[in-house]
Amino acid sequence: MGSALPIGEPAPRDGSLPVSIDRSTPFGVYLHVPFCRVRCGYCDFNTYTAGELRGARQDEYADTLLREVDLACGVLVDAGAIRPASTVFFGGGTPTLLPAGDLSRMLDGVRTTFGIAPGAEVTVEANPDTVSDAVAAELAAAGVTRLSIGMQSAVPHVLASLDRTHEPANVGAAVAAARRAGLAVSLDLIYGAPGESLADWRESLESVAALEPDHVSAYALIIEEGTKLARQIRRGEVPAPDDDRQADMYELADELLDVAGFEWYEVSNWARDEQQRSRHNLAYWTGADWWGFGPGAHSHIAGVRFWNVKHPAAYAQRLAAGFSPAAGRESPDAAARHLESVLLRTRIREGLPISELFGEGRHAVAALIADGLIDGAAAVRGRVVLTLRGRLLADAVVRALTG
């Protein structure tokens, strides 16, 4: 059911914010759908199977979430900062476990309440088994522009090690359905699963290239405490991920995706061109505003971070009583904001302006160039941009740049 919420100050019951909001800052909307048919052994997200809901119902979820949309409207009206959403992202969980009509109603609520900017990116995450021609067509008619499909691997034994239940062939069927509906397609991969060889990973990458999506995300498997996979590793039932093997897999992904016509733009993300980048995720990495709706969802408005209660039943109870579902919030100080900016903006292709580094960080640039971790030509232009080796050692780069 996900990791623990952060420790912060209590959030007010009315959800009000203690800040002045800049209306020129882009505004994104995240809609969390916390339902899954089964719990994957590696997953640490705030998700629930039918047997874990205890007091919450999937068929009432859209109406519950729309109550939070109404509450957010009041908060932002009071702050003088209602803005149309430039991106909307349905994440989970598996949003497409809900009827497409429910997703459509939630999107309509966002459109009516905040407005959706012309040309906005509207993404829905989906398990391959939940995408049909009818579902894809209904989502497209509602205003969805992009489907993000959880492929994870093309190799059956790798999918089994991750507790994924879809057949590899269903990925192609989902991509085809999305294409027929006129939707852009992103495929999500995980590498470094127990028993996954470099040859297995190559097979998955070649399968991705053959499907010709617009965007690819490839994430190294991370073992989160409290998950089934963490327990299996602790008991010696399966091996822990090997850092060197994962580095080899990352290098292979960068090589094969480049050959297939994808451009790297963030440590774990590649796109056909700049227009196909995930604008919603770029908003996270560049410090824009977003409101996350749903149990356990996190938000960032004008430097204030806040997060909702985790369980769908507690979330629904608070909203039914007329209270904000926010469990806590924090306002990071200048030092924390600087660290976060370096951490996130060095991850993207455009990098970080050297002028925004403090003295010790600026002095570290020359050494990082000499070590082959950042691009010397980009540094001459005044920006920190990671090399491939720098991406593999991103944490070390950030430590050097923040002193």
Side-chain angles (χ1 to χ4, degrees), residues 194-275:
E196 183 178 28
S197 67
L198 198 60
D200 291 332
W201 178 233
R202 178 182 289 274
E203 181 178 341
S204 291
L205 292 167
E206 290 174 347
S207 296
V208 165
L211 291 169
E212 299 185 333
D214 305 291
H215 182 278
V216 179
S217 297
Y219 299 103
L221 178 65
I222 296 173
I223 306 304
E224 302 287 357
E225 283 301 317
T227 61
K228 172 186 172 183
L229 189 53
R231 293 190 293 272
Q232 289 175 316
I233 290 171
R234 189 165 54 247
R235 293 192 297 260
E237 296 170 2
V238 297
D242 180 271
D243 291 343
D244 291 337
R245 173 66 58 82
Q246 286 189 325
D248 291 341
M249 289 177 165
Y250 182 86
E251 291 179 328
L252 183 61
D254 197 61
E255 174 190 340
L256 295 187
L257 291 173
D258 179 69
V259 169
F262 294 91
E263 176 183 81
W264 169 79
Y265 75 95
E266 191 275 340
V267 166
S268 300
N269 290 273
W270 292 258
R272 288 285 180 192
D273 53 45
E274 190 169 345
Q275 287 67 43

Side-chain angles (χ1 to χ4, degrees), residues 90-117:
F90 288 84
T94 307
T96 45
L97 276 185
L98 291 182
D102 282 4
L103 302 180
S104 177
R105 283 200 300 116
M106 292 156 69
L107 185 56
D108 279 343
V110 171
R111 183 180 291 112
T112 301
T113 304
F114 305 113
I116 295 178

Side-chain angles (χ1 to χ4, degrees), residues 5 19 65 72 81 89 108 118 128 195 214 240 287 302 328 338 344-345 359 363 384:
L5 291 172
V19 288
L65 184 139
F89 195 102
D108 279 343
D214 305 291
H338 173 71
L344 294 176
R345 294 177 68 189
H363 295 321
V384 173

